Amino acid sequence: MAFALGMELTAALGVLIVAAAVWAVAKQRDVRLVLTLAGLFLGIVAGQPMLVMRTFLATLSKEQFVVPICCAMGFAYVLRHTGCDRHLVHLLVKPLTRARLLLVPGAVAVGFLVNIPVVSQAGTVVAIGTVLVPLLRAARISDLTIGSALLLGSSLGGDLLNPGAPEFRTITAVFDVDAASCVGVAFAPLLTAFVLSTTTFSILRGRIEARRELPVEDDRIVGEATASEHRFRISYLKAAVPLLPVVLLFLTGPPFSVLRVPNEWLASPHEGGSASPDSRLIGLAMLIGTVAAMLVGGSSARGATGAFFEGAGFAYARVIAVIVAASAFGEGVKLLGLELLIGGLTE
């Protein structure tokens, strides 16, 4: 009886801690701090806080997360620094200038496609915004529609077609599958979501667009900006660089497996099972893309090394830190057996 009451009290405290964590996140407190503290308190209630801290420290340096995510974000920063991402955007946007009907759905598509190599949503918006905003405003499309199109295109999950996407790192670590297989499974649902979302958005925005109009006083500014964009000379070599790592990863993995990377490039024999070849392969592909961007970047290649590590640091602080905190929180939930209770509530 006393044991049962103790178990019920422990579970109740655990539920309160989880509820407090949810409340704190909803109040926009730092999610990394909230999840870490919640995980630690759950561990204390379970009488095993050391397991939570062990999980925190182990995840902090887990190769499956650090190598691919930091390298992918570092590569995205180098693309922005060298201007390669802008050349890709211009190349994708060029056909849209010939058909007004395609401008809005095309803007969404450009965001989706650019988000594949540029795995950051914010980075994607920055890359496409400087090109698409003047073009869409010149076509007298409202600011509301322009902003919505950029947001939708950058948020549809194009990065999930990149094996280096942060979301795949947790999946590959837990289920021991390679990232290329994850992309293959995600492709059809993503394409379906893209088509349905873009079609629905294009239909709905037509009703709103009829009631909105670009102010006349902005025409001169928009015209100058658009003329500047039209004078932009596309370098097909620079435009190809953002896609290079993604192409390499597809060629080295199933179902193609056209290229083979020697094992000694990824891990030494004495590392054995501790190495993560899939993660290192993604990191290597991103490094090759970084070198290619520096080679074609010309004068803008100066400072690209700093840009790479700035991007890697951003990934560590904003992406990996959340994974670390979530892992600590998850360990606390598991220690109290709350995952069974939460799972039962969601069924």
Side-chain angles (χ1 to χ4, degrees), residues 156-180:
L156 277 174
D159 59 320
L160 294 180
L161 296 180
N162 185 336
E167 293 83 354
F168 288 146
R169 305 323 308 157
T170 301
I171 296 173
T172 55
V174 173
F175 296 104
D176 193 26
V177 294
D178 63 276

Side-chain angles (χ1 to χ4, degrees), residues 252-288:
T252 54
F256 303 106
S257 300
V258 176
L259 300 177
R260 179 183 173 276
V261 179
N263 289 333
E264 56 266 24
W265 278 79
L266 303 175
S268 59
H270 72 269
E271 287 181 288
S274 63
S276 178
D278 180 52
S279 299
R280 294 185 184 186
L281 181 61
I282 293 170
L284 177 61
M286 298 302 167
L287 289 176
I288 292 173

Side-chain angles (χ1 to χ4, degrees), residues 73-82 303-313:
M73 194 63 72
F75 174 61
Y77 268 56
V78 171
L79 290 179
R80 186 178 67 185
H81 183 80
T82 57
T305 304
F308 177 86
F309 286 105
E310 182 183 351

Side-chain angles (χ1 to χ4, degrees), residues 104-109 112 145 148-158 188-206:
V104 172
V108 177
F112 181 78
T145 297
S148 300
L150 298 188
L151 176 62
L152 179 62
S154 303
S155 306
L156 277 174
L190 274 176
L191 187 61
T192 303
F194 166 74
V195 172
L196 291 177
S197 300
T198 306
T199 303
T200 303
F201 175 72
S202 299
I203 294 172
L204 293 178
R205 76 97 192 175

Side-chain angles (χ1 to χ4, degrees), residues 237-261:
L237 197 58
K238 288 186 176 182
V241 168
L243 303 177
L244 178 60
V246 180
V247 172
L248 287 175
L249 289 171
F250 277 114
L251 292 179
T252 54
F256 303 106
S257 300
V258 176
L259 300 177
R260 179 183 173 276
V261 179

